[in-house]
Amino acid sequence: MKGIADIRAKISRANELMGRELPRRFYRSVFRGNYPGTVRQQLAVVVNNLILHVHPTRVYQRSIKAKTTFGLGLICFYLFIIEWITGVFLMFYYEPSTGAAYGRILDLHYTITFGRVMRNLHRWAAEAMVVAVVLHMCRVFYTGAYKPPREFNWVLGVVLLLLTLALSFTGYLLPWDQLSFWAVTVGTNIVSYAPVLGLKLRFLLLGGDTVGSDALLRFYTLHVIAIPALAALIINYHIWRVIKDGGLAHPQASEEKAPQLQRTEGVILTFPRVVYIELLVFVVLMVGLLAASLLFDAPLEEEANPLRPSNPSKAPWYFLGLQELVSYSAFWGGVMVPTVLTAFLLLLPYADRRPDGVGVWFARERTGMIVLWTVILIGIIVTTVIGVYLRGPNWNFYWPWQGWPGPH
Ligand code: HEM
C-alpha cells in the first residue's frame, strides 16, 4: 500500500510540475517576474526586453492615434521581417543558375508543401513594402517630421527607400521567366544612360553586357545577403534614432524640451497599450497578406528566352514612370530626373530649415513645400499609371479595354 501511495505522490508532483510549476518557471526564466502590474514593472518590461527596448518607455498619447503615423513605419518594419522569414524558406529550394532557377520556381509553385503560398507571401509583401515605404515617407513629409533634430533620420530613410527598391529589383530577376528577364534588361538599360559611369555600372551589376548567368548570381547574392544585411543594420539605426531624436515629432514640443515633456500629461506608458496595438497591427497585416497570397498568385510567365523579347518589355512597375520618361528622352528619364529627385530628397531637411508645422498634417505655414511635393508625387503617379496600364506592344498607347492584358 505504501508503495502505491509513493507512486501516487510522485505522479501528483510530476503533474504539479508539468501543469503549473513548469509554465510558471518558464515564464519567470524568460520575463523575470510575474505579470507586470505596477508602473515600475511596466517600465521594466520595455527596458529589459531585447525587442521592446527599441521603444521609449513612455510615448505621447497622440502617437498611438491612427492618424498620427497610420502605423506605416511599423508596417515597413514588419514587412521587412516577413520578407526575411519567407525568403529563407524560398532559399531552401531555389538555385541561382540559369538552367535550374525556373524549374525550382515551378516546383515551389506546384509541388512543394506551402511553396506556393510562401512564394506569394514573399512577392506580395515585397510589393506592399515598396508602397508602404513611399506612404511612410509621404506621412513624414506632410507632417514636417524631417525638420530638426530629425534631418539625419530622414536621410537614413532615403537610403532605406533606395535599398527597398534595390531589394525588390534584384528579386525580380530570380524566377528567370520572360517577365523578369526582360524587366531587368530594361531596368539595367535605364542605368546605362547615366553619363560616364552608366555603362560601367551596368557591367558591374550584370557581370557582362547582357543579362545571363553572371547577372543571375550577382542579383541573387545582392538580394539574399548584401542588401538585406545593410537594410537590417540601417533599419535598426533608423528606429533607434527615433527615440534619440525625442520620440515621434510632436507639434507643441520645442525639440530641445522633448525629453522633459515626456513626464507630463498626455503621456502614457509604452507597456502594455503600445505593445498590444503593435501586435494587433501585425495580426491584421498578416491576415491581409495571407488572404492575398491564398487568392492571388505571384506572376510567372514562360522560361526566360534571350532570343525572344517580350513586347512590350516593361521594367518592374515602380520604375515604369522612369521608363515612360525614357521613351521621350533617355537623358531626362534615365539620368536627370532620378538624379535630381534623389538629390532633392537627400537635401530637403537641410534646405528647408523653417521650424514651422512640425508634427502637424498639412500645416498652413508649409503650403509652398506641400504643393511642390504633391506636384512631384502626382507626376510620379501619372507616369507610372501610363506605363503600367496604357502602354502596349511597341510602347504604343493602348486603352486597357482594347484587350491588352495589362499589368503584371
Ligand atoms: C525600410 C524602410 C523603413 C522602416 C522600416 C522605417 C521605420 C520607421 C519607424 C518604425 C518609425 C517610427 C514610427 C512611424 O513613424 O511610423 C519611423 C519614423 C521615421 N522615419 Fe522611417 N522607416 C523606413 C523608411 C523611411 C523613409 C523612406 C523615410 C524618409 C525618406 C523615413 C523617415 C523617417 C523619419 C524622419 C521618422 C521620424 C518621424 C517622426 O518623428 O514623426 N523612414 N520609421
Side-chain angles (χ1 to χ4, degrees):
M1 287 303 273
K2 188 165 178 290
I4 293 175
D6 273 358
I7 292 171
R8 277 210 185 121
K10 273 187 190 151
I11 291 176
S12 114
R13 236 178 292 136
N15 277 344
E16 176 88 347
L17 187 72
M18 297 303 289
R20 277 194 292 135
E21 268 306 294
L22 192 64
R24 256 197 229 161
R25 271 201 218 165
F26 180 70
Y27 181 92
R28 271 193 225 121
S29 72
V30 178
F31 297 110
R32 304 257 169 256
N34 296 322
Y35 184 81
T38 65
V39 170
R40 203 188 165 90
Q41 286 167 338
Q42 292 182 345
L43 290 173
V45 169
V46 176
V47 175
N48 294 338
N49 184 290
L50 176 69
I51 296 174
L52 295 185
H53 92 276
V54 298
H55 296 80
T57 50
R58 299 175 166 89
V59 297
Y60 288 111
Q61 190 140 28
R62 74 182 281 282
S63 299
I64 58 168
K65 290 208 172 117
K67 70 166 195 198
T68 306
T69 64
F70 293 106
L72 286 163
L74 185 69
I75 290 173
C76 297
F77 172 73
Y78 284 152
L79 288 169
F80 181 73
I81 301 294
I82 293 169
E83 283 303 274
W84 199 346
I85 295 168
T86 51
V88 169
F89 179 89
L90 298 182
M91 279 177 75
F92 290 149
Y93 299 99
Y94 183 76
E95 197 184 313
S97 78
T98 50
Y102 184 72
R104 291 300 177 106
I105 297 289
L106 288 182
D107 282 350
L108 268 164
H109 200 90
Y110 293 109
T111 28
I112 291 157
T113 317
F114 295 126
R116 187 176 191 151
V117 80
M118 280 291 168
R119 176 170 179 252
N120 292 347
L121 261 178
H122 195 72
R123 176 62 178 243
W124 299 137
E127 308 252 322
M129 189 164 162
V130 173
V131 177
V133 169
V134 172
L135 288 178
H136 170 58
M137 181 170 67
C138 289
R139 176 312 263 176
V140 172
F141 176 83
Y142 284 124
T143 55
Y146 57 84
K147 298 192 174 203
R150 299 183 176 80
E151 308 99 305
F152 188 63
N153 216 13
W154 168 273
V155 172
L156 291 176
V158 176
V159 176
L160 285 174
L161 169 74
L162 298 178
L163 288 178
T164 304
L165 292 176
L167 263 178
S168 220
F169 184 60
T170 48
Y172 215 87
L173 183 63
L174 305 186
W176 203 249
D177 64 341
Q178 277 288 78
L179 183 67
S180 64
F181 181 90
W182 292 104
V184 169
T185 303
V186 171
T188 47
N189 278 346
I190 295 179
V191 173
S192 71
Y193 295 129
V196 192
L197 288 180
L199 284 171
K200 290 199 167 62
L201 205 62
R202 188 180 66 175
F203 191 90
L204 194 71
L205 257 179
L206 299 182
D209 289 320
T210 52
V211 179
S213 53
D214 287 325
L216 184 57
L217 195 56
R218 280 180 194 206
F219 272 51
Y220 177 73
T221 313
L222 287 171
H223 185 74
V224 304
I225 295 281
I227 306 176
L230 191 60
L233 212 71
I234 298 180
I235 287 174
N236 270 299
Y237 188 30
H238 182 67
I239 294 176
W240 178 76
R241 284 292 302 230
V242 174
I243 312 178
K244 294 294 161 195
D245 293 341
L248 292 183
H250 190 267
Q252 282 99 43
S254 124
E255 300 303 339
E256 302 78 49
K257 285 192 195 145
Q260 288 83 36
L261 271 177
Q262 289 189 356
R263 292 184 177 278
T264 64
E265 63 185 79
V267 165
I268 56 164
L269 292 177
T270 300
F271 185 86
R273 256 176 78 200
V274 179
V275 175
Y276 287 158
I277 290 173
E278 290 181 353
L279 280 177
L280 182 72
V281 172
F282 180 74
V283 172
V284 172
L285 180 69
M286 226 26 238
V287 169
L289 279 174
L290 264 176
S293 305
L294 292 170
L295 292 173
F296 306 104
D297 280 337
L300 188 67
E301 292 187 351
E302 305 118 63
E303 187 163 13
N305 181 350
L307 301 175
R308 195 169 58 76
S310 56
N311 188 5
S313 293
K314 289 192 178 189
W317 64 265
Y318 37 84
F319 289 143
L320 278 181
L322 287 184
Q323 193 178 350
E324 175 64 18
L325 293 181
V326 166
S327 72
Y328 302 111
S329 154
F331 176 71
W332 279 96
V335 183
M336 276 312 275
V337 172
T339 311
V340 169
L341 267 184
T342 313
F344 168 74
L345 287 176
L346 288 172
L347 296 177
L348 173 72
Y350 301 100
D352 176 15
R353 299 217 31 103
R354 291 178 52 187
D356 324 305
V358 172
V360 180
W361 280 93
F362 307 109
R364 261 217 200 121
E365 307 88 307
R366 302 184 52 236
T367 305
M369 286 306 284
I370 288 172
V371 170
L372 176 66
W373 181 275
T374 309
V375 168
I376 295 175
L377 203 62
I378 292 175
I380 294 173
I381 293 173
V382 168
T383 46
T384 305
V385 168
I386 294 177
V388 173
Y389 290 102
L390 304 181
R391 291 297 191 176
N394 305 322
W395 208 253
N396 289 329
F397 264 111
Y398 255 71
W399 298 112
W401 52 88
Q402 276 185 327
W404 164 242
H408 289 285

